Coordinates of all heavy atoms in Angstrom, one line a residue:
I432 N -26.5 -26.1 -35.9 CA -25.7 -25.0 -36.5 C -26.7 -23.9 -36.9 O -26.4 -22.7 -36.7 CB -25.0 -25.6 -37.8 CG1 -23.9 -26.6 -37.4 CG2 -24.5 -24.5 -38.7 CD1 -23.5 -27.4 -38.7
D433 N -27.8 -24.2 -37.4 CA -28.7 -23.2 -37.7 C -29.2 -22.4 -36.6 O -29.3 -21.0 -36.6 CB -30.0 -23.7 -38.5 CG -29.7 -24.3 -39.7 OD1 -28.5 -24.0 -40.4 OD2 -30.5 -25.2 -40.3
E434 N -29.5 -23.1 -35.5 CA -29.9 -22.4 -34.2 C -28.9 -21.6 -33.6 O -29.2 -20.4 -33.0 CB -30.7 -23.3 -33.2 CG -31.8 -23.9 -33.6 CD -32.9 -22.9 -33.9 OE1 -33.1 -22.1 -33.0 OE2 -33.7 -23.1 -34.9
A435 N -27.7 -22.1 -33.6 CA -26.6 -21.3 -33.1 C -26.4 -20.0 -33.9 O -26.1 -18.9 -33.2 CB -25.3 -22.1 -33.1
N436 N -26.6 -20.1 -35.2 CA -26.5 -18.9 -36.0 C -27.5 -17.9 -35.6 O -27.2 -16.7 -35.6 CB -26.5 -19.3 -37.6 CG -25.4 -20.0 -38.0 OD1 -24.1 -19.7 -37.3 ND2 -25.3 -20.7 -39.1
K437 N -28.7 -18.3 -35.4 CA -29.9 -17.5 -34.9 C -29.5 -16.8 -33.6 O -29.8 -15.6 -33.4 CB -31.1 -18.3 -34.7 CG -31.7 -18.6 -36.1 CD -33.1 -19.5 -35.8 CE -33.6 -20.0 -37.2 NZ -34.9 -20.7 -36.9
Y438 N -28.9 -17.5 -32.6 CA -28.5 -16.9 -31.4 C -27.2 -15.9 -31.5 O -27.0 -15.2 -30.7 CB -28.1 -17.9 -30.4 CG -29.3 -18.6 -29.5 CD1 -29.8 -19.8 -29.7 CD2 -29.6 -17.8 -28.6 CE1 -30.9 -20.3 -28.9 CE2 -30.6 -18.2 -27.7 CZ -31.2 -19.6 -27.9 OH -32.4 -20.1 -27.2
G439 N -26.6 -16.0 -32.6 CA -25.4 -15.4 -32.9 C -24.1 -16.0 -32.1 O -23.2 -15.2 -31.8
M440 N -24.3 -17.3 -31.9 CA -23.3 -17.9 -31.1 C -22.1 -18.4 -32.1 O -22.5 -19.1 -33.0 CB -23.8 -19.1 -30.5 CG -24.8 -18.7 -29.3 SD -25.6 -20.4 -28.5 CE -26.4 -19.5 -27.1
K441 N -20.9 -18.1 -31.8 CA -19.7 -18.8 -32.4 C -19.4 -20.0 -31.7 O -18.6 -19.9 -30.7 CB -18.7 -17.8 -32.5 CG -18.9 -16.4 -33.4 CD -17.8 -15.6 -33.5 CE -18.2 -14.3 -34.4 NZ -17.1 -13.4 -34.4
C442 N -19.7 -21.1 -32.2 CA -19.4 -22.5 -31.5 C -19.3 -23.6 -32.6 O -19.9 -23.3 -33.7 CB -20.4 -22.8 -30.4 SG -22.1 -22.9 -31.0
K443 N -18.8 -24.6 -32.2 CA -18.6 -25.9 -33.1 C -19.8 -26.7 -32.7 O -20.3 -26.8 -31.7 CB -17.3 -26.4 -32.9 CG -16.0 -25.6 -33.0 CD -14.8 -26.3 -32.6 CE -13.6 -25.5 -32.6 NZ -12.3 -26.1 -32.0
V444 N -20.1 -27.7 -33.7 CA -20.9 -28.7 -33.7 C -20.3 -29.9 -34.1 O -19.9 -30.0 -35.4 CB -22.3 -28.5 -34.3 CG1 -23.3 -29.6 -34.0 CG2 -22.9 -27.2 -33.7
E445 N -20.1 -31.0 -33.3 CA -19.3 -32.1 -33.7 C -19.9 -33.4 -33.2 O -20.8 -33.4 -32.2 CB -17.8 -32.0 -33.0 CG -17.1 -30.8 -33.4 CD -15.7 -30.6 -32.6 OE1 -15.6 -31.5 -31.7 OE2 -15.0 -29.8 -33.0
F446 N -19.7 -34.5 -34.0 CA -20.0 -35.8 -33.4 C -19.0 -36.6 -32.5 O -17.9 -36.2 -32.4 CB -20.2 -36.7 -34.8 CG -21.2 -36.5 -35.7 CD1 -21.1 -36.1 -37.0 CD2 -22.6 -36.5 -35.1 CE1 -22.2 -35.8 -37.8 CE2 -23.7 -36.2 -36.0 CZ -23.5 -35.9 -37.4
S447 N -19.6 -37.4 -31.7 CA -18.8 -38.1 -30.7 C -19.4 -39.6 -30.7 O -20.6 -39.7 -30.5 CB -18.6 -37.5 -29.3 OG -17.9 -38.3 -28.5
S448 N -18.5 -40.5 -30.4 CA -19.0 -41.9 -30.2 C -18.7 -42.4 -28.8 O -18.9 -43.5 -28.4 CB -18.3 -42.9 -31.2 OG -16.8 -42.8 -30.9
K449 N -18.4 -41.3 -27.9 CA -18.1 -41.6 -26.5 C -19.0 -41.1 -25.6 O -18.8 -41.0 -24.4 CB -16.7 -41.1 -26.3 CG -15.7 -41.8 -27.2 CD -14.2 -41.2 -26.8 CE -13.2 -41.9 -27.8 NZ -11.8 -41.2 -27.5
L450 N -20.1 -40.6 -26.0 CA -21.0 -39.9 -25.1 C -21.9 -40.8 -24.4 O -22.4 -41.8 -25.1 CB -21.9 -38.9 -25.8 CG -21.1 -37.7 -26.4 CD1 -22.1 -36.6 -27.0 CD2 -20.3 -37.1 -25.4
V451 N -22.3 -40.6 -23.1 CA -23.4 -41.4 -22.5 C -24.8 -40.7 -22.7 O -25.7 -41.4 -23.0 CB -23.2 -41.4 -20.9 CG1 -24.3 -42.0 -20.2 CG2 -21.8 -42.1 -20.7
A452 N -24.7 -39.3 -22.8 CA -25.9 -38.7 -23.2 C -26.1 -38.5 -24.7 O -25.3 -38.8 -25.4 CB -25.8 -37.3 -22.5
S453 N -27.3 -37.9 -25.0 CA -27.6 -37.7 -26.5 C -26.6 -36.6 -27.0 O -26.1 -36.6 -28.1 CB -29.1 -37.3 -26.7 OG -29.9 -38.4 -26.2
A454 N -26.4 -35.5 -26.1 CA -25.5 -34.5 -26.6 C -25.0 -33.7 -25.4 O -25.6 -34.0 -24.2 CB -26.3 -33.4 -27.5
M455 N -23.9 -33.0 -25.4 CA -23.4 -32.3 -24.4 C -22.6 -31.1 -25.0 O -22.2 -31.2 -26.1 CB -22.6 -33.1 -23.4 CG -21.3 -33.7 -24.0 SD -20.2 -34.4 -22.8 CE -19.6 -33.0 -22.1
V456 N -22.4 -30.1 -24.1 CA -21.6 -29.0 -24.4 C -20.2 -29.2 -23.8 O -20.1 -29.4 -22.6 CB -22.2 -27.7 -24.0 CG1 -21.2 -26.5 -24.2 CG2 -23.5 -27.3 -24.9
S457 N -19.2 -29.1 -24.7 CA -17.8 -29.0 -24.2 C -17.3 -27.6 -23.9 O -17.3 -26.8 -24.9 CB -16.8 -29.6 -25.2 OG -15.5 -29.5 -24.7
N458 N -17.2 -27.3 -22.6 CA -16.8 -25.8 -22.3 C -15.6 -25.5 -23.0 O -15.4 -24.5 -23.4 CB -16.8 -25.7 -20.8 CG -18.2 -25.9 -20.2 OD1 -19.2 -25.6 -20.8 ND2 -18.2 -26.4 -18.9
A459 N -14.5 -26.4 -22.7 CA -13.2 -26.1 -23.2 C -13.1 -26.0 -24.7 O -12.4 -25.0 -25.2 CB -12.3 -27.2 -22.8
R460 N -13.9 -26.7 -25.5 CA -13.9 -26.6 -27.0 C -15.0 -25.7 -27.5 O -14.9 -25.4 -28.7 CB -14.1 -28.0 -27.5 CG -13.0 -29.0 -27.2 CD -13.3 -30.4 -27.7 NE -13.7 -30.4 -29.1 CZ -12.9 -30.3 -30.0 NH1 -11.5 -30.3 -29.8 NH2 -13.2 -30.4 -31.3
R461 N -15.8 -25.1 -26.6 CA -17.0 -24.4 -27.2 C -17.7 -25.1 -28.2 O -17.9 -24.5 -29.3 CB -16.4 -23.0 -27.5 CG -15.7 -22.2 -26.6 CD -15.4 -20.8 -27.2 NE -14.5 -20.1 -26.3 CZ -14.1 -18.8 -26.3 NH1 -14.6 -18.1 -27.5 NH2 -13.2 -18.3 -25.7
A462 N -18.1 -26.3 -27.9 CA -18.6 -27.2 -29.0 C -19.7 -27.9 -28.5 O -19.7 -28.3 -27.3 CB -17.5 -28.1 -29.5
V463 N -20.7 -28.2 -29.3 CA -21.8 -29.1 -29.0 C -21.4 -30.3 -29.5 O -21.1 -30.5 -30.6 CB -23.2 -28.7 -29.6 CG1 -24.3 -29.7 -29.3 CG2 -23.6 -27.2 -29.0
M464 N -21.3 -31.4 -28.6 CA -21.1 -32.8 -29.0 C -22.4 -33.6 -29.1 O -23.1 -33.7 -28.2 CB -20.1 -33.3 -28.0 CG -19.0 -32.4 -27.6 SD -17.8 -32.1 -28.9 CE -17.1 -33.6 -29.3
I465 N -22.5 -34.2 -30.4 CA -23.7 -35.2 -30.6 C -23.3 -36.5 -30.6 O -22.3 -36.9 -31.3 CB -24.3 -34.5 -31.9 CG1 -24.8 -33.1 -31.8 CG2 -25.6 -35.4 -32.2 CD1 -25.3 -32.6 -33.2
S466 N -24.1 -37.4 -30.0 CA -23.9 -38.7 -30.1 C -23.9 -39.4 -31.5 O -25.1 -39.2 -32.1 CB -24.7 -39.5 -29.1 OG -24.4 -40.8 -29.0
K467 N -22.9 -39.9 -32.0 CA -23.1 -40.4 -33.3 C -24.0 -41.6 -33.5 O -24.1 -42.5 -32.8 CB -21.6 -40.9 -33.8 CG -21.5 -41.1 -35.4 CD -20.0 -41.4 -35.7 CE -19.8 -41.6 -37.2 NZ -20.2 -40.6 -38.0
G468 N -24.8 -41.5 -34.6 CA -25.7 -42.5 -34.9 C -27.1 -42.3 -34.2 O -28.1 -43.1 -34.3
L469 N -27.2 -41.1 -33.6 CA -28.5 -40.8 -32.8 C -29.6 -40.5 -33.8 O -29.4 -39.9 -34.9 CB -28.2 -39.5 -31.9 CG -29.3 -39.1 -31.2 CD1 -29.5 -40.0 -29.9 CD2 -28.9 -37.6 -30.5
S470 N -30.8 -40.9 -33.5 CA -32.0 -40.4 -34.2 C -33.1 -40.3 -33.2 O -33.3 -41.1 -32.3 CB -32.4 -41.4 -35.2 OG -32.8 -42.6 -34.6
M471 N -33.8 -39.2 -33.3 CA -35.0 -38.9 -32.3 C -36.0 -38.1 -32.9 O -36.0 -37.4 -34.1 CB -34.4 -38.0 -31.1 CG -33.6 -36.8 -31.5 SD -33.1 -35.8 -30.0 CE -32.5 -37.0 -28.9
P472 N -37.4 -38.1 -32.4 CA -38.5 -37.4 -32.9 C -38.1 -35.9 -32.9 O -37.5 -35.3 -32.1 CB -39.5 -37.9 -31.9 CG -39.2 -39.1 -31.2 CD -37.5 -38.9 -31.1
E473 N -39.0 -35.3 -33.6 CA -38.8 -33.7 -34.0 C -38.9 -32.9 -32.6 O -38.1 -32.1 -32.3 CB -39.9 -33.4 -34.9 CG -39.8 -31.9 -35.0 CD -38.7 -31.3 -35.7 OE1 -37.9 -31.9 -36.5 OE2 -38.4 -30.0 -35.5
I474 N -40.0 -33.3 -31.8 CA -40.2 -32.5 -30.6 C -39.0 -32.7 -29.6 O -38.5 -31.7 -28.9 CB -41.5 -32.9 -29.8 CG1 -41.7 -31.9 -28.7 CG2 -41.5 -34.2 -29.3 CD1 -43.2 -31.9 -28.2
E475 N -38.4 -33.8 -29.5 CA -37.1 -34.1 -28.8 C -36.1 -33.3 -29.3 O -35.1 -32.9 -28.5 CB -36.9 -35.6 -28.6 CG -37.9 -36.4 -27.9 CD -37.6 -37.9 -27.7 OE1 -36.5 -38.1 -27.7 OE2 -38.6 -38.7 -27.4
V476 N -35.9 -33.2 -30.6 CA -34.9 -32.4 -31.2 C -34.8 -31.0 -30.8 O -34.0 -30.5 -30.4 CB -34.9 -32.6 -32.8 CG1 -34.0 -31.5 -33.5 CG2 -34.5 -34.0 -33.1
R477 N -36.0 -30.4 -30.8 CA -36.2 -29.1 -30.5 C -36.0 -28.9 -29.0 O -35.3 -27.9 -28.6 CB -37.7 -28.6 -30.7 CG -38.1 -28.6 -32.3 CD -39.4 -27.7 -32.5 NE -40.4 -28.3 -31.8 CZ -41.3 -29.3 -32.3 NH1 -41.2 -29.8 -33.5 NH2 -42.5 -29.7 -31.6
A478 N -36.5 -29.8 -28.2 CA -36.0 -29.7 -26.8 C -34.6 -29.8 -26.5 O -34.0 -29.0 -25.6 CB -36.8 -30.8 -26.0
L479 N -33.9 -30.7 -27.2 CA -32.4 -30.8 -27.1 C -31.7 -29.7 -27.4 O -30.7 -29.3 -26.7 CB -32.0 -32.1 -27.9 CG -30.5 -32.5 -27.7 CD1 -30.3 -33.1 -26.3 CD2 -30.2 -33.6 -28.7
V480 N -32.1 -29.0 -28.6 CA -31.5 -27.9 -29.1 C -31.6 -26.7 -28.0 O -30.6 -25.9 -27.6 CB -32.0 -27.3 -30.3 CG1 -31.5 -26.0 -30.7 CG2 -31.6 -28.4 -31.5
E481 N -32.7 -26.5 -27.4 CA -33.0 -25.5 -26.5 C -32.3 -25.7 -25.2 O -31.7 -24.7 -24.4 CB -34.6 -25.4 -26.2 CG -35.3 -24.8 -27.3 CD -34.8 -23.4 -27.8 OE1 -34.3 -22.7 -27.1 OE2 -35.1 -23.2 -29.0
H482 N -32.1 -27.0 -24.9 CA -31.5 -27.5 -23.7 C -30.0 -27.2 -23.9 O -29.4 -26.6 -22.8 CB -31.7 -28.9 -23.4 CG -31.1 -29.4 -22.1 ND1 -31.9 -30.0 -21.2 CD2 -29.7 -29.7 -21.7 CE1 -31.0 -30.5 -20.2 NE2 -29.8 -30.3 -20.6

Side-chain angles (χ1 to χ4, degrees):
I432 293 171
D433 293 342
E434 291 301 315
N436 288 334
K437 288 181 183 178
Y438 270 108
M440 294 176 171
K441 294 182 179 180
C442 62
K443 304 172 186 175
V444 183
E445 302 172 348
F446 288 123
S447 173
S448 58
K449 300 178 181 179
L450 298 185
V451 174
S453 300
M455 64 170 283
V456 168
S457 170
N458 299 327
R460 294 173 54 78
R461 299 186 195 182
V463 178
M464 313 298 293
I465 301 171
S466 184
K467 192 169 180 60
L469 182 72
S470 64
M471 54 174 39
E473 172 64 28
I474 193 169
E475 292 183 21
V476 167
R477 295 195 299 268
L479 186 63
V480 169
E481 293 302 333
H482 184 108

